[in-house]
């Protein structure tokens, strides 16, 4: 007999990510993450799987977090990062077994790395203080006295990090594997990122912006750098975000992914190929009206790290594409041939391919599969499961299969989404319905496992979640349409979704409707309750209530408001017009306000303003604050706080629905 989904299922679910094939394609390593309830933390270990026998073996057993495993070119060693010393350091493990050797003890850890093809060196990038080296000890005040911090730039803080050190820069270096000797390769007060190492070991792709003031520098040029001479060739130097570079096997081409700023952060990312001989580049996906990359929001997978692009020996390319609510693996050629290599109705969140392109290892999730690894024959699409970490959970728990829906939104546009019946659904009964709105707004709900949605269904509620305009995976026009129109046609899309659900599903009790959402979804929840009384209860999470104050307090506020509203502090009327706080007097729906203390993306003052304003007007509202939590609490937050958040959400809707 199956049981219903519970909050504490977070401690049973296993996250299987980052599959990396060995150079000969016969074996792979990957990361499995679980939450340790007693230690109240995430534990991630390295696993190995033999593709022929399907035998899976755990290779590390620490209580730390392993990440970014990579094989050496000869397949004899695996490197990885681990936070065994609090900060991430680099380790090397023999493929034949034994203890991992620690390669770095950097003061501020290591960010990223790549093997040199000879297997004798490892390139990396890591933070270093100005005038110091990677290995200089971290400076600490012995008596823990507080000190003032001088701020001279606008981009001075970041969610999940806090204040960004003004004298800290990212540099590229190289480690001699045998001796452990570390050499710094780049220099100057700049932030470098290591992108790729050529297969002959003679060239690097490095990202760096050397402008003096980076407050409004929203691009990072990609440079092709000669290892011996340090001579630089510009691959791309344009406004927008570009990265994920990868050399073809013959080193004649460099593939990378990026988006220009035509539609600011709503711009579709494309796959580009740079010709190292001719110095020109092509846009491989120019004809596709969908973004390259994974834009799905969910709450289960931990540290999923899918490559931006993978080459095969015959210069074919594979890359993830967000399309129609799916994330699919696509095949491409430089001649413009493009087609999907994986089916619809699923989420590819990790992958790798053999050099000949015949076989892929894919990490796959769907609405009722938390995610496992499969080996797939590209020519036939045939798959065989390699892992089964969540198999018992799926068999023991009643998971509800969402039904895909399409309805007409504002301007008669098609809008896509999903509706879930309550777990244990009985024909003829009436049930509450909770609408759940995603953040972004330029993200998307997809065909992937979402614990929170399943938990809501387990409470005996229907669940409606849709991708209103502003969401990715449908078209450039669709994702851009929300900019300058927050609370306009996006609001109408969501209300149209409710109307559609009520007209098509007789089991929904129209008098017991709830609504919730986080980030942009929190903004929209605030907007909904200040513009309609259709909902009996609402819960707003990490929300935005006042775009005027958001401009100055958010880590992205000073440019995000201009990008999304076309307004800054010289046009406060526009910012106020789009602010739910302006309409607080019209709120009649009981509103639960949830917010993290260390949220720098949507700072907690947004919740404080809303709460005090509503309370002063005698509105029915409560405010729950989560200490030591940031904007990503629902996905990567401290485990006990994730449980408390879900407890608050379900408790509020139980009370009113």
């Amino acid at each position: 007999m199956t049981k219903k989904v519970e909050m504490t299922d977070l401690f049973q679910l296993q996250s299987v990510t980052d599959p990396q094939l060995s150079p000969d394609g016969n074996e792979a390593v990957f990361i499995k993450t679980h939450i340790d309830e007693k230690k109240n933390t995430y534990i991630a270990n390295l696993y190995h799987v033999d593709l022929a026998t399907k035998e899976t073996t755990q290779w590390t057993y620490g209580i730390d977090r392993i990440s970014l495993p990579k094989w050496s070119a000869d397949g004899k060693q695996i490197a990885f990062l681990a936070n065994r010393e609090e900060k991430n350091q680099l380790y090397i493990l023999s493929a034949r077994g034994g203890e991992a050797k620690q390669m770095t003890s950097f003061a501020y850890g290591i960010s990223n790395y790549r093997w040199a093809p000879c297997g004798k060196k490892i390139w990396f990038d890591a933070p270093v203080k100005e005038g110091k080296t990677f290995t200089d000890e971290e400076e600490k005040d012995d008596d823990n006295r507080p000190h003032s911090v001088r701020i001279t730039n606008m981009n001075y803080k970041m969610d999940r990090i806090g204040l960004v050190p003004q004298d800290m820069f990212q540099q590229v270096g190289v480690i001699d594997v045998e001796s452990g000797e570390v050499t710094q390769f780049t220099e100057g007060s700049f932030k470098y990122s290591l992108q790729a190492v050529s297969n002959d070991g003679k060239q690097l792709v490095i990202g760096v912006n050397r402008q003096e003031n980076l407050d409004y520098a929203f691009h990072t040029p990609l440079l092709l750098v000669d290892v011996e001479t340090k001579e630089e060739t510009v691959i791309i130097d344009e406004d927008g975000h570009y990265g994920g570079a990868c050399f073809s096997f013959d080193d004649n081409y460099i593939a990378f992914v990026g988006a220009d700023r035509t539609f600011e952060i709503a711009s579709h990312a494309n796959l580009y190929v740079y010709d190292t001989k001719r110095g020109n580049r092509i846009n491989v996906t120019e004809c596709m009206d969908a973004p390259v990359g994974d834009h799905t929001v969910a709450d289960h997978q931990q540290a999923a790290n899918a490559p931006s692009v993978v080459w095969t020996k015959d210069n074919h390319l594979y890359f993830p594409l967000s399309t129609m609510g799916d994330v699919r693996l696509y095949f491409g050629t430089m001649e413009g041939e493009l087609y999907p290599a994986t089916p619809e109705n699923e989420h590819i969140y990790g992958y790798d391919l053999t050099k000949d392109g015949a076989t892929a290892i894919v990490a796959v999730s769907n609405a009722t599969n938390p995610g496992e690894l499969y080996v797939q024959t590209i020519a036939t699409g045939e798959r065989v499961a390699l892992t089964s970490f969540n198999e018992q959970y799926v068999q023991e728990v009643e998971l509800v299969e969402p039904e895909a829906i399409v309805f007409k939104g504002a301007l008669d546009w098609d809008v896509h989404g999903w509706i879930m019946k309550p777990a244990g659904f009985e024909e003829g009964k009436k049930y509450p319905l909770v609408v759940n709105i995603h953040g972004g707004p330029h993200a998307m709900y997809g065909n992937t496992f979402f614990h929170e949605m399943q938990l809501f269904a387990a409470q005996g509620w229907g669940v409606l979640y849709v991708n209103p305009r502003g969401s990715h995976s449908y078209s450039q026009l669709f994702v851009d349409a929300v900019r300058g129109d927050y609370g306009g046609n996006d609001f109408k899309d969501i209300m149209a979704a409710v109307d559609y659900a009520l007209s098509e599903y007789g089991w929904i009790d129209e008098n017991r409707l709830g609504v919730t959402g986080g980030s942009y979804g929190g903004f929209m929840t605030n907007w909904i309750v200040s513009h309609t009384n259709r909902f009996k209860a609402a819960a707003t999470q990490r929300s935005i209530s006042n775009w005027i104050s958001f401009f100055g307090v958010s880590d992205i506020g000073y440019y995000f408001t201009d990008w999304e509203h076309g307004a800054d502090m010289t046009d406060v009327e526009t910012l106020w017009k789009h602010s739910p706080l302006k309409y607080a007097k019209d709120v009649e729906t009981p509103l639960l306000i949830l917010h993290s203390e260390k949220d720098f993306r949507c700072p907690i003052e947004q919740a404080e303003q809303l709460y005090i304003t509503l309370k002063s007007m005698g509105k029915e509202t409560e405010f729950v604050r989560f200490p030591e939590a940031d904007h990503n609490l629902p996905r990567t937050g401290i485990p006990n706080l994730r449980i408390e958040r879900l407890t608050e959400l379900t408790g509020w809707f139980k009370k009113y629905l």
Side-chain angles (χ1 to χ4, degrees), residues 83-207:
N83 63 348
R84 293 170 180 173
E85 294 186 344
E86 187 176 339
K87 297 179 177 65
N88 270 332
Q89 303 293 349
L90 180 67
Y91 294 77
I92 293 179
L93 178 67
S94 170
R96 299 184 183 90
E99 290 290 331
K101 178 183 178 182
Q102 184 172 343
M103 298 301 301
T104 63
S105 293
F106 293 172
Y108 303 98
I110 185 169
S111 304
N112 194 16
Y113 73 95
R114 296 285 189 277
W115 280 96
C118 63
K120 297 179 180 179
K121 296 188 295 184
I122 293 178
W123 292 90
F124 67 89
D125 58 42
V128 59
K129 276 204 169 187
E130 192 169 23
K132 301 291 184 179
T133 69
F134 295 114
T135 55
D136 286 340
E137 290 187 7
E138 183 177 2
E139 296 176 359
K140 294 182 179 179
D141 193 327
D142 291 339
D143 58 7
N144 293 317
R145 291 176 297 175
H147 293 280
S148 60
V149 177
R150 184 182 304 279
I151 304 298
T152 58
N153 60 331
M154 297 171 73
N155 189 15
Y156 69 90
K157 62 181 179 179
M158 189 176 299
D159 191 57
R160 288 192 283 185
I161 293 176
L163 294 181
V164 178
Q166 303 291 291
D167 58 349
M168 189 83 73
F169 301 96
Q170 191 90 353
Q171 301 288 353
V172 173
V174 63
I175 302 170
D176 184 286
V177 172
E178 185 174 345
S179 68
E181 181 183 358
V182 177
T183 304
Q184 185 170 319
F185 182 76
T186 57
E187 57 188 21
S189 301
F190 309 109
K191 296 181 179 180
Y192 294 88
S193 64
L194 175 67
Q195 297 276 324
V197 180
S198 64
N199 292 283
D200 63 9
K202 296 179 180 180
Q203 295 178 305
L204 308 176
V205 177
I206 290 176

Side-chain angles (χ1 to χ4, degrees), residues 461-529:
W461 312 326
V463 186
L464 175 64
Y465 55 108
V466 301
N467 284 328
R469 64 199 62 212
S471 303
H472 263 307
S473 85
Y474 300 100
S475 71
Q476 183 64 80
L477 177 65
F478 192 87
V479 72
D480 183 56
V482 73
R483 293 198 309 131
D485 190 37
Y486 276 47
N489 286 327
D490 52 349
F491 166 64
K492 293 177 181 177
D493 283 349
I494 295 169
M495 291 300 99
V498 175
D499 291 337
Y500 175 85
L502 290 173
S503 67
E504 295 293 320
Y505 302 95
W507 51 264
I508 299 172
D509 186 342
E510 64 179 351
N511 296 313
R512 290 191 291 166
L513 302 178
V515 62
T516 188
S519 195
Y520 164 82
F523 156 81
M524 183 51 70
T525 300
N526 296 340
W527 189 268
I528 286 172
V529 297

